[in-house]
Amino acid sequence: MKGQGAVLGLLLLAAPAWGAPPPLPVVTTSTDLKALVEAVGGDRVRVESLASALQDPHAVDIKPGQLARLRAAALLVRIGLDHEPWLPGILRTIGDARFAPGSPHHLDASRGIALLQAETPRVTAERGVHVHGFGNTHYWLDPANARPITASVLEALDRLAPGERARFEASRDRFLAGLDAALGRWEQALAPYRGTRVAVVHETWPYFARRFGLVVTAALEPTPGVPPSPAYLATLTRRMRDGGVRLLLVEPYANASLVGQVAARSGARPVTLVPSVGGDPAATDYVALFELNVRRLVEALAAGR
Ligand SMILES: [Zn+2]
């Protein structure tokens, strides 16, 4: 009888509360979008991210189980542009017209974002690996961009769950109020270091750098997604040293031997920043992600004084 009770308990836990509609199944391409959809949707959404937080977001392998969850989703939320070169093939495999661009079930979160590096002519025929062809796609790393992203999420959820707009608006307002307060603290913490010259591995950080007053003067990838040649690296590390570049911003999935080599030759101190929610145990949500990155930067800059 005890076993039966446990089974019944599990069934009760799995069932939605009486009267409450089941949560909307949402699939996002990143953990950051997942966190932002949850900030608006609360317990009215059940969200899964296709990419894990520790993967290069431009190169993601999808497992069959994830395809099944995408098929069952009411909404797909993506970064857009050419951020997810792996997504069109998946959408072709699924072959569901609901997820066609422009459908209410397909939200491209880049609409409404003022893109950086959009003027750089990078779409070329001869390069196989190629990203950021239409502008830099790492726009979620400016906390201020959470406002337009969650505005798009609110509209998408409102279309799919009519009658619940007030609830979504209240959740979003609460989230943005907390974020605004935190942003003020982060800007204050980094204010003494405005103008610090930094190098990056991949162009992950232009939005973050602009918000917090860092100046990105070098990228180890000559073109986003393209590894550097030895000759390119030799010139770059010499220029970093001559140009007083203090920090090298490193993603957790960056090539460690390349980072070590560049740090040794340029004198820049490598600091690992986490580009996505869940990329470190401390980065539990969108606000915690910036909390962690700002703390790591302040520690690295204070140590180098
Ligand atoms: Zn990128």
Side-chain angles (χ1 to χ4, degrees):
M1 286 306 107
K2 201 176 160 198
Q4 264 180 9
V7 169
L8 184 62
L10 278 176
L11 285 173
L12 286 174
L13 276 177
W18 293 115
L24 277 174
V26 180
V27 166
T28 63
T29 55
S30 79
T31 55
D32 311 289
L33 289 176
K34 175 179 190 286
L36 292 172
V37 171
E38 286 169 344
V40 179
D43 57 8
R44 285 292 293 115
V45 292
R46 194 183 64 243
V47 194
E48 186 183 343
S49 168
L50 292 175
S52 87
L54 289 170
Q55 267 171 315
D56 173 352
H58 303 311
V60 173
D61 284 324
I62 300 300
K63 296 174 193 72
Q66 291 177 299
L67 282 187
R69 276 189 286 276
L70 181 51
R71 280 196 180 94
L75 176 65
L76 165 68
V77 186
R78 62 180 299 190
I79 294 290
L81 307 162
D82 57 359
H83 189 76
E84 301 110 338
W86 42 272
L87 188 60
I90 289 166
L91 292 179
R92 270 196 302 278
T93 305
I94 289 183
D96 187 335
R98 290 184 312 139
F99 297 127
S103 148
H105 300 277
H106 178 137
L107 174 59
D108 178 341
S110 70
R111 283 178 305 168
I113 303 285
L115 293 172
L116 294 176
Q117 302 172 348
E119 74 294 345
T120 319
R122 280 172 169 150
V123 182
T124 55
E126 67 271 20
R127 286 207 171 91
V129 185
H130 190 85
V131 285
H132 306 181
F134 308 99
N136 190 289
T137 57
H138 299 265
Y139 55 79
W140 72 90
L141 286 167
D142 179 353
N145 279 340
R147 202 168 286 276
I149 297 171
T150 54
S152 303
V153 168
L154 172 68
E155 295 307 323
L157 293 181
D158 181 42
R159 279 193 294 271
L160 296 170
E164 300 194 56
R165 187 180 183 93
R167 184 173 167 167
F168 295 142
E169 275 177 347
S171 297
R172 175 172 180 260
D173 289 349
R174 236 181 355 260
F175 166 72
L176 290 177
L179 182 65
D180 285 345
L183 179 53
R185 283 201 319 274
W186 300 329
E187 287 179 323
Q188 208 173 10
L190 285 168
Y193 307 106
R194 288 194 85 82
T196 297
R197 293 156 77 84
V198 303
V200 297
V201 180
H202 178 75
E203 287 275 14
T204 303
W205 306 101
Y207 296 90
F208 183 92
R210 181 188 54 174
R211 175 60 49 195
F212 295 112
L214 305 176
V215 183
V216 179
T217 56
L220 303 196
E221 292 178 347
T223 298
V226 177
S229 68
Y232 178 87
L233 269 190
T235 310
L236 190 81
T237 48
R238 194 173 60 245
R239 287 190 183 153
M240 282 171 65
R241 185 174 282 285
D242 294 346
V245 174
R246 290 180 63 190
L247 294 184
L248 172 58
L249 309 187
V250 179
E251 295 81 11
Y253 46 81
N255 179 328
S257 93
L258 173 68
V259 167
Q261 195 189 342
V262 170
R265 285 160 71 178
S266 69
R269 176 193 294 260
V271 53
T272 300
L273 297 188
V274 180
S276 280
V277 170
D280 183 277
T284 48
D285 62 19
Y286 189 77
V287 170
L289 173 70
F290 290 95
E291 202 79 59
L292 173 70
N293 285 330
V294 168
R295 191 176 72 233
R296 286 195 179 168
L297 263 180
V298 168
E299 281 168 7
L301 287 163
R305 278 196 145 176

